[in-house]
Amino acid sequence: MSRGSGKGLSLKDKLDGNELDLSLCDLNEVPVRELAALPKATILDLSCNNLISLPSDFCSLMHLVKLDLSKNRLQQLPLDFGRLINLQHLDLLNNRLVTLPVSFAQLKNLKWLDLKDNPLDPVLAKVAGDCLDEKQCKQAAVKVLQHMKAIQSEQDRQRQQKLQAEREMEKKREAEQRAKEAQERELRKREKAEEKERRRREYDAQKAAKQEMEKKTKKETVHTRKPASSSRPPQRPRHKLSWSRSVLRVLLFVLFCILCALAACKLTELQHQPLCVSVNTLYEDVVAALQNHKTLQNMLQHNS
């Protein structure tokens, strides 16, 4: 393994039992692939190198139990650093760490931790305290784990609140959408009703216009037929008819009186009276004239 690249020299040469010492190798990168091929190396020493960061696949080395990263230039740890669940001993002395990833709370087997000489966040620095002896380093591990678990719980709570707020917002949007759709349906229903009412009015208007046209046509037909009916003889007014009937009655009454007088003069003893004599003479003259008229008529018919 050459300096800087971490390649060229076999890591097996550095392996002593279950301990792999890569300290003071001037490393800029961690040879994760080669380390993954040595699952027996549960103790890894990467101290006193030039490491600025750890690759994300470094967290796949879940067989690590003890890890020394002291005296590097690490500015942060991978976000999923908590995947190293078998880690019990972690030395981060003299780096450039300010905070730890929240997943750090998942290192449930961590028993020893050193965070001295890092520009830690004041709250985290106070929680970690000093690691001047074995007892303090163990206390630091317990306290930092508790602190990170509290942060994780708070973040989970905030995440849950955010999710809840998002759900409520989604429900509100859905409710607003349903209300909008209901309003649109009501509007379409009202427009449909208005359209139906408009069409009904148009239908009624057309029907009324048709009826009016039929009436007008009928009147024109009646007016057209009136001249033909005018050729008929005009009917006499009712008052004229009544007058004619009165005259006829008078004439019939006079005729009746004459007949009665004639019968009296012919059949009673009044026939010798001068008036009756005149009446009888007039009657005989009229009868004779009628007979002569009848005789003349018969002659004319015979000659024709």
Side-chain angles (χ1 to χ4, degrees):
M1 182 175 64
S2 62
R3 291 179 179 273
S5 64
K7 298 180 180 180
L9 182 62
S10 175
L11 295 183
K12 292 182 180 181
D13 297 336
K14 295 283 187 178
L15 183 60
D16 183 10
N18 65 339
E19 184 176 354
L20 180 61
D21 188 0
L22 297 180
S23 63
L24 301 171
C25 291
D26 198 21
L27 296 177
N28 295 319
E29 298 177 359
V30 178
V32 177
R33 184 176 299 178
E34 290 81 357
L35 291 173
L38 298 172
K40 292 182 180 181
T42 58
I43 300 175
L44 177 61
D45 188 354
L46 290 171
S47 62
C48 302
N49 282 292
N50 298 317
L51 300 176
I52 297 177
S53 63
L54 299 177
S56 59
D57 56 352
F58 180 84
C59 302
S60 64
L61 304 176
M62 299 175 61
H63 58 277
L64 293 178
V65 175
K66 184 176 181 180
L67 177 61
D68 190 350
L69 292 169
S70 63
K71 299 181 181 179
N72 279 280
R73 294 185 293 168
L74 295 173
Q75 298 179 1
Q76 61 183 7
L77 298 178
L79 294 178
D80 56 348
F81 192 80
R83 291 177 59 193
L84 302 175
I85 56 175
N86 293 313
L87 199 60
Q88 299 180 13
H89 186 108
L90 179 59
D91 193 345
L92 294 170
L93 172 71
N94 195 8
N95 276 279
R96 300 178 181 178
L97 299 172
V98 176
T99 60
L100 297 175
V102 178
S103 65
F104 198 91
Q106 300 173 13
L107 301 176
K108 58 182 180 179
N109 292 315
L110 190 64
K111 302 295 189 297
W112 194 97
L113 177 63
D114 189 355
L115 288 172
K116 291 193 309 295
D117 299 330
N118 280 281
L120 296 174
D121 176 81
V123 176
L124 179 59
K126 183 178 180 180
V127 171
D130 295 328
C131 183
L132 301 177
D133 53 31
E134 188 74 11
K135 182 178 179 180
Q136 289 182 347
C137 293
K138 288 182 178 181
Q139 290 178 349
V142 174
K143 292 180 179 180
V144 170
L145 281 178
Q146 291 176 349
H147 177 69
M148 297 310 298
K149 286 180 181 179
I151 292 177
Q152 186 181 46
S153 298
E154 179 63 21
Q155 289 187 356
D156 291 343
R157 187 184 65 81
Q158 292 178 358
R159 190 180 300 109
Q160 290 297 327
Q161 288 180 347
K162 184 178 179 181
L163 290 174
Q164 183 66 23
E166 291 177 353
R167 292 193 195 99
E168 292 178 356
M169 184 63 66
E170 183 65 22
K171 290 181 180 179
K172 183 178 180 181
R173 284 195 295 266
E174 291 176 356
E176 291 176 352
Q177 182 65 24
R178 287 195 296 270
K180 183 178 179 181
E181 291 175 354
Q183 186 177 5
E184 291 176 353
R185 286 196 300 270
E186 185 65 24
L187 180 61
R188 287 195 297 269
K189 184 177 179 181
R190 185 163 59 250
E191 290 177 350
K192 187 176 180 180
E194 291 175 355
E195 177 65 16
K196 185 176 181 180
E197 179 65 19
R198 183 185 64 80
R199 290 171 59 187
R200 188 188 64 79
R201 288 196 298 268
E202 289 180 355
Y203 173 78
D204 292 342
Q206 292 176 358
K207 187 175 180 181
K210 185 177 179 180
Q211 292 176 352
E212 185 66 23
M213 183 63 69
E214 290 176 354
K215 289 181 180 179
K216 185 176 180 181
T217 304
K218 189 175 181 180
K219 287 181 180 179
E220 290 177 354
T221 304
V222 172
H223 291 162
T224 304
R225 292 178 180 176
K226 277 187 176 181
S229 62
S230 62
S231 60
R232 299 176 182 176
Q235 297 180 356
R236 296 180 180 181
R238 295 182 63 87
H239 66 279
K240 291 184 177 181
L241 183 61
S242 300
W243 182 82
S244 299
R245 289 179 179 177
S246 299
V247 172
L248 181 60
R249 289 193 185 104
V250 171
L251 291 176
L252 289 175
F253 179 74
V254 172
L255 181 60
F256 177 74
C257 292
I258 292 174
L259 290 175
C260 290
L262 182 61
C265 291
K266 281 287 188 180
L267 300 176
T268 62
E269 56 185 11
L270 295 176
Q271 56 184 344
H272 299 291
Q273 295 295 327
L275 179 60
C276 287
V277 171
S278 298
V279 170
N280 291 331
T281 302
L282 180 61
Y283 172 74
E284 292 175 354
D285 291 340
V286 171
V287 171
L290 290 174
Q291 289 178 352
N292 292 332
H293 177 70
K294 186 175 182 180
T295 302
L296 180 62
Q297 186 177 7
N298 291 331
M299 289 178 64
L300 291 173
Q301 290 178 353
H302 178 74
N303 290 330
S304 62

